Each structure stands twice: as structure tokens, then as C-alpha cells.
Amino acid sequence: METNEQQEKTFYQDSNVTVTQSRYIAGSKTYAMLNISLVSIFKIDKSRTGAILLLVVGILLLFKEETRIIGGIWLFSIKDEYAVRISTNDGEANSLGSKVQAYIQKIVNTLNDAVIHRG
């Protein structure tokens, strides 16, 4: 006789995420697929204010070139983050974040497939 674990279909698995027909595990959080009603990608815009101020002050006050360079490097190194946003009975939550949009989109697509498979 087979157990439920042997019958459970795994849609995706890596070192941080597991998506099966009944569970979504992201890091230390586990969500029941039955409770997930909507999955989407959410963009988290990072503030660039400090870097812009440093760059402007460096240009306007003619500080050393290093100040302008640091401000420019800081500004261009700031990357937005993306999150897997799920809606459950308890509301919306960002369950997993990354600066790599393609990775998050892959998880969102997989979760949507699992929700559709659930019926």
C-alpha cells in the first residue's frame, strides 16, 4: 500500500523552495496549497535617495572625485527585489524574495501550475 508521501507530486525543488501538490515550502515557512488562492510576482522598489544625494552633493560642492564615484557606484549597484506574493485565508504575504526576477517568476509559474493541478 502506498503512503500519501509516495503519491505526492513534486512540481519544483531547490535548496530554498519545494512545491508539491499539497505544500509550498519557502525557507522555514510552509504553506498548505489548499489555502493559497492567488500567486503573483511583486516588485520591491529599493530607495535610491541616499546614493542620489551623495552624488548631487559631490557634484555641486565639487568634493573630491572619489565622493562622486562612490555615489555613482552606489546608485547603480542598488537593485530592486522581487517577491513571490501569495494570497491565503490570512491575507497577502511575500513568501520568498530575490533580486533575480527570472527565479521568482519561475516559482510563481510553478505555484500557479500546482494550484491549477489541485483543481
Side-chain angles (χ1 to χ4, degrees), residues 2-110:
E2 291 183 349
T3 64
N4 277 348
E5 192 136 336
Q6 291 172 329
Q7 294 175 352
E8 188 168 23
K9 179 178 179 181
T10 300
F11 290 89
Y12 180 83
Q13 188 167 18
D14 67 22
S15 60
N16 296 321
V17 175
T18 300
V19 178
T20 70
Q21 67 189 38
S22 61
R23 292 177 289 162
Y24 164 47
I25 303 168
S28 62
K29 301 174 195 171
T30 301
Y31 303 90
M33 290 303 292
L34 286 174
N35 294 334
I36 297 174
S37 57
L38 180 68
V39 181
S40 62
I41 189 166
F42 181 73
K43 183 178 179 184
I44 303 167
D45 294 320
K46 293 295 183 174
S47 174
R48 291 168 172 78
T49 306
I52 291 170
L53 285 175
L54 182 62
L55 189 60
V56 169
V57 168
I59 291 170
L60 292 178
L61 298 180
L62 300 174
F63 283 135
K64 293 182 178 180
E65 186 177 340
E66 291 85 18
T67 302
R68 293 189 300 270
I69 291 172
I70 291 170
I73 291 171
W74 184 15
L75 178 64
F76 291 106
S77 68
I78 296 172
K79 296 191 188 298
D80 293 327
E81 285 191 32
Y82 300 90
V84 175
R85 178 162 283 185
I86 60 170
S87 295
T88 66
N89 321 15
D90 297 329
E92 290 186 336
N94 292 339
S95 62
L96 178 71
S98 174
K99 292 182 181 185
V100 181
Q101 183 179 7
Y103 174 67
I104 295 299
Q105 187 65 59
K106 183 177 189 176
I107 303 301
V108 167
N109 293 344
T110 302

